[in-house]
């Protein structure tokens, strides 16, 4: 083992000298070299970026995975550079329990068939949630984590080195100041009391030593100033890269918001389909929902394409009248007609709706008294209701 005692002693001495200088600066007993205002602003901006990135990262992890034990497990797998095992979501687990219960109660019974229907949609919701978690982890969490564990560590290292160079510079300034003061004091008060030649020789020798000490301190100061300036430039270049980091995080944030929008739109679509399935099953069985005691009636506004009264059995003639009424509403004066881009495929559930294909452009507008979650869409000669969540309105 190569153990350099001299280097260790030198490093320990330098550490102690810096500690003394730092303490005296804090106590106001020593002068401190101030950094360039531009560099100070860059350091403050970088520190703020680091602090808020840590907070956003931690809270996003809590949002995506509320279970602390699961987060710890994922952290360990990440540190070991191992693939995180696929974990069943709560919705998927609930859906599987419902399917298992339906098997025991009998899939042909009303309760069993409804358990199957709801369980399948719960599993779809769970699958959408897992896809959202994977997308968010890759497009949002990983870039933030890479910044904290990569770029920021490099910046922190250079900042610490700059602080050490500043302390060394101030130490050299203090040392030169003391040497000049000692030289000036010796020159201002010569010892004329001593008449023996030997004392004149000693006085001249002391003056020469003081002069050498001043020269040495000036040389060390020049070296320290050069090293400080060089390190300040290196640190400045790294800190100016924080603006690029903000642009990268902006793109990641947009991807995260888009993933959220896609996930919630899928959930909304699945719940609409589930509501229609439940209405269809209830109408086929001739049993209104209100007979199920203890279960609140679903809110019709959340599922605008469903019947206005979930508890009532609607005959086919009523459906025809509702369809004709919807068509008549489309003939009302349109307001705010504009273009829209379709985000996802959508299959019409009745004659009043318009099927959509992802990425196509359609014209949309609203009519008085229409549900705000829906618009009237036109594509050529085709016209019908379309859900707002499946559209991106263009200017």
């Amino acid at each position: 083992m190569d153990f350099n005692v001299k280097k260790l002693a030198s490093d320990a001495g330098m550490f102690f000298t810096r500690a003394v200088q730092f303490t005296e600066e804090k106590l106001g007993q020593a002068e401190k070299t101030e950094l360039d205002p531009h560099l100070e602003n860059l350091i403050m901006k970088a520190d703020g970026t680091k602090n808020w990135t840590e907070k956003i990262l931690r809270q996003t992890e809590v949002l995506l995975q509320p279970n602390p034990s699961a987060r710890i497990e994922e952290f360990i797998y990440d540190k070991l550079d191992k693939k995180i095992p696929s974990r069943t979501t709560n919705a998927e687990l609930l859906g599987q329990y419902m399917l298992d219960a339906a098997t025991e109660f009998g899939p042909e019974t009303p309760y069993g068939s409804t358990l199957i229907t709801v369980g399948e949609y719960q599993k779809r919701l769970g699958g959408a949630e897992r896809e959202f978690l994977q997308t968010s982890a890759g497009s949002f969490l990983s870039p933030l984590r890479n910044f904290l564990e990569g770029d920021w560590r490099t910046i922190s290292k250079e900042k610490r080195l700059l602080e050490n160079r500043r302390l060394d510079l101030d130490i050299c300034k203090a040392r030169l100041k003391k040497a000049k003061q000692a030289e000036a004091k010796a020159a201002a008060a010569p010892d004329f009391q001593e008449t023996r030649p030997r004392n004149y020789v000693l006085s001249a020798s002391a003056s020469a030593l003081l002069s050498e000490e001043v020269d040495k301190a000036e040389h060390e100061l020049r070296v320290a100033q050069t090293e400080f300036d060089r390190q300040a430039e290196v640190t400045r270049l790294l800190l100016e890269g924080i603006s690029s980091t903000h642009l990268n995080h902006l793109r990641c944030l947009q991807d995260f918001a888009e993933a959220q929008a896609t996930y919630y739109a899928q959930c909304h679509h699945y719940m609409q389909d589930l509501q229609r399935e439940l209405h269809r099953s209830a109408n086929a069985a001739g049993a209104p929902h209100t007979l199920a005691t203890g279960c609140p009636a679903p809110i019709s506004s959340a599922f605008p394409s469903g019947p206005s009264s979930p508890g009532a059995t609607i005959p086919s003639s009523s459906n025809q009248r509702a369809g004709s009424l919807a068509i008549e509403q489309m003939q009302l004066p349109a307001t705010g007609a504009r273009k829209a881009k379709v985000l996802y495929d959508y299959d019409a559930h009745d004659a009043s709706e318009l099927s959509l294909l992802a990425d196509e452009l359609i014209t949309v507008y609203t009519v008085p008294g229409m549900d705000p979650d829906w618009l009237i869409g036109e594509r050529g000669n085709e016209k019908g209701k379309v859900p707002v969540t499946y559209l991106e309105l263009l200017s």
Side-chain angles (χ1 to χ4, degrees):
M1 181 177 180
D2 187 12
F3 188 74
N4 193 330
V5 179
K6 291 183 178 180
K7 185 178 184 302
L8 180 62
S10 176
D11 292 343
M14 180 61 69
F15 175 80
F16 178 76
T17 305
R18 289 170 178 169
V20 171
Q21 175 68 23
F22 182 80
T23 303
E24 290 179 350
E25 289 176 356
K26 291 297 182 182
L27 296 176
Q29 299 175 358
E31 296 181 0
K32 176 182 178 181
T33 300
E34 298 295 336
L35 299 177
D36 179 76
H38 176 60
L39 184 57
E40 287 280 10
N41 291 335
L42 290 176
I43 291 176
M44 292 178 59
K45 182 179 179 181
D47 290 339
T49 300
K50 179 256 185 181
N51 293 334
W52 284 112
T53 300
E54 283 182 335
K55 292 179 180 179
I56 292 173
L57 175 62
R58 286 197 298 266
Q59 193 57 38
T60 305
E61 290 175 339
V62 172
L63 173 67
L64 299 179
Q65 180 51 264
N67 189 341
S69 300
R71 291 202 303 273
I72 294 175
E73 180 182 355
E74 292 175 358
F75 175 79
I76 294 175
Y77 273 99
D78 181 68
K79 290 302 179 184
L80 296 177
D81 198 19
K82 291 186 177 181
K83 183 179 179 181
I84 301 176
S86 179
R87 182 181 290 105
T88 303
T89 63
N90 292 329
E92 288 177 312
L93 188 60
L94 174 61
Q96 188 58 49
Y97 285 167
M98 289 182 175
L99 294 178
D100 294 342
T103 302
E104 181 174 342
F105 298 145
E108 69 283 352
T109 63
Y111 183 40
S113 62
T114 303
L115 280 172
I116 292 176
T117 301
V118 177
E120 289 176 348
Y121 277 96
Q122 291 296 328
K123 296 188 74 171
R124 293 182 188 179
L125 291 173
E129 180 184 359
R130 190 191 310 110
E131 182 178 354
F132 166 61
L133 295 178
Q134 293 174 350
T135 302
S136 300
S139 63
F140 189 60
L141 293 183
S142 293
L144 298 186
R145 195 176 290 116
N146 291 339
F147 165 73
L148 293 174
E149 296 178 355
D151 294 347
W152 180 251
R153 287 186 178 180
T154 303
I155 292 174
S156 298
K157 179 182 176 181
E158 297 301 330
K159 281 178 55 184
R160 288 194 299 269
L161 190 55
L162 176 63
E163 179 66 11
N164 290 337
R165 293 289 180 263
R166 186 196 63 76
L167 289 172
D168 294 342
L169 176 61
D170 289 336
I171 290 170
C172 290
K173 288 181 178 179
R175 188 177 297 155
L176 176 61
K177 183 177 180 181
K178 292 179 181 178
K180 287 185 175 181
Q181 288 176 347
E183 184 183 35
K185 183 178 180 181
D191 188 3
F192 293 108
Q193 303 298 325
E194 298 291 343
T195 57
R196 290 180 295 178
R198 179 173 177 274
N199 290 329
Y200 285 113
V201 172
L202 290 176
S203 178
S205 176
S207 178
L209 289 175
L210 290 173
S211 179
E212 290 179 3
E213 186 69 23
V214 170
D215 293 340
K216 179 181 178 182
E218 289 178 344
H219 174 72
E220 291 178 349
L221 178 60
R222 288 193 296 269
V223 174
Q225 184 69 55
T226 302
E227 292 181 351
F228 172 77
D229 293 340
R230 184 188 302 114
Q231 184 59 37
E233 182 65 18
V234 171
T235 306
R236 182 185 64 80
L237 292 175
L238 284 175
L239 293 175
E240 287 178 347
I242 290 294
S243 297
S244 300
T245 300
H246 285 189
L247 293 177
N248 182 41
H249 288 181
L250 171 62
R251 290 190 292 268
C252 296
L253 184 60
Q254 291 171 340
D255 293 340
F256 176 65
E258 183 177 351
Q260 271 189 312
T262 302
Y263 167 61
Y264 289 125
Q266 287 178 331
C267 293
H268 181 65
H269 176 62
Y270 289 148
M271 295 310 297
Q272 282 186 315
D273 291 344
L274 173 59
Q275 190 72 2
R276 294 188 184 95
E277 290 285 343
L278 295 178
H279 287 321
R280 191 177 299 115
S281 299
N283 292 338
H289 288 296
T290 53
L291 295 180
T293 59
C295 295
I299 301 175
S300 58
S301 61
F303 308 96
S305 60
S308 60
S309 178
T313 303
I314 302 177
S316 58
S317 60
S318 299
N319 289 333
Q320 293 175 356
R321 287 197 300 271
S324 62
L325 179 60
I327 299 300
E328 291 175 1
Q329 287 179 339
M330 294 179 191
Q331 309 305 321
L332 294 175
T335 59
R338 60 195 299 184
K339 291 290 185 180
K341 179 182 178 182
V342 179
L343 299 177
Y344 325 101
D345 293 343
Y346 178 75
D347 296 327
H349 293 84
D350 53 50
S352 67
E353 298 180 3
L354 178 66
S355 296
L356 303 174
L357 295 176
D359 297 330
E360 70 173 334
L361 294 178
I362 62 173
T363 301
V364 295
Y365 56 88
T366 185
V367 294
M370 188 172 185
D371 192 306
D373 291 334
W374 292 77
L375 293 171
I376 300 300
E378 287 187 358
R379 182 181 53 232
N381 296 327
E382 298 178 319
K383 181 189 300 184
K385 294 191 303 181
V386 292
V388 175
T389 54
Y390 282 68
L391 304 174
E392 177 185 355
L393 299 180
L394 305 177
S395 58

